[in-house]
């Protein structure tokens, strides 16, 4: 939940910039990293509350394993060394991959494409 609060604060701060600049780009990248961290925490929570292992072949993963799995999933690199064992884990991984790609090709691209431009105030 703290990730969502941080994302909200960053969006508000970015929205206050009159010009799209490096701080705006860094803010957009921070949001991307927070999405990955949120999903890592979600995967870890599911593993802690579930009665089955979260990963195939890995009975007791560490948080770094969930973080690694989250960013490999979100970037759609998919090394294949970690695989979600449950339907819930796999469906969340699919959602994260789609969210991550849509964020990069829409939000991040839009921000980077407008670097140096003034914002129109409504």
């Amino acid at each position: 939940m703290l990730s969502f609060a941080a994302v909200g604060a960053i969006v508000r701060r970015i929205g206050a910039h009159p010009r799209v600049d490096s701080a705006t780009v860094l803010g957009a990248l921070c949001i991307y990293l927070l999405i990955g961290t949120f999903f890592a925490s979600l995967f870890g929570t599911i593993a802690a509350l579930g009665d089955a292992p979260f990963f195939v072949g890995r009975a007791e993963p560490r948080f770094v394993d969930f973080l690694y799995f989250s960013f490999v999933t979100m970037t759609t690199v998919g090394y294949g060394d970690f695989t979600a064992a449950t339907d819930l884990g796999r469906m969340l991984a699919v959602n994260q991959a789609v969210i991550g790609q849509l964020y990069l090709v829409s939000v991040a691209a839009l921000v980077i494409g407008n670097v140096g431009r003034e914002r129109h105030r409504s």
Side-chain angles (χ1 to χ4, degrees):
M1 288 303 174
L2 189 56
S3 296
F4 287 123
V7 167
I10 293 169
V11 168
R12 260 193 323 276
R13 181 75 174 128
I14 288 173
H17 289 184
R19 180 180 205 87
V20 179
D21 58 12
S22 62
T24 313
V25 173
L26 290 174
L29 292 175
C30 283
I31 291 171
Y32 185 76
L33 294 173
L34 284 167
I35 293 169
T37 304
F38 167 76
F39 273 95
S41 298
L42 183 60
F43 296 145
T45 301
I46 290 169
L49 298 176
D51 53 355
F54 186 83
F55 294 119
V56 173
R58 184 75 156 227
E60 301 205 19
R62 301 168 298 155
F63 182 73
V64 71
D65 296 328
F66 293 111
L67 196 60
Y68 169 78
F69 176 74
S70 176
F71 281 99
V72 167
T73 298
M74 192 161 65
T75 59
T76 66
V77 172
Y79 292 124
D81 51 349
F82 286 101
T83 304
T86 64
D87 289 342
L88 177 60
R90 288 191 296 269
M91 290 304 101
L92 286 172
V94 166
N95 280 305
Q96 183 185 15
V98 170
I99 289 168
Q101 290 307 297
L102 288 175
Y103 186 86
L104 284 179
V105 301
S106 58
V107 176
L110 185 64
V111 169
I112 292 169
N114 284 296
V115 168
R117 293 189 182 165
E118 293 286 331
R119 293 193 182 182
H120 292 41
R121 298 291 178 182
S122 304

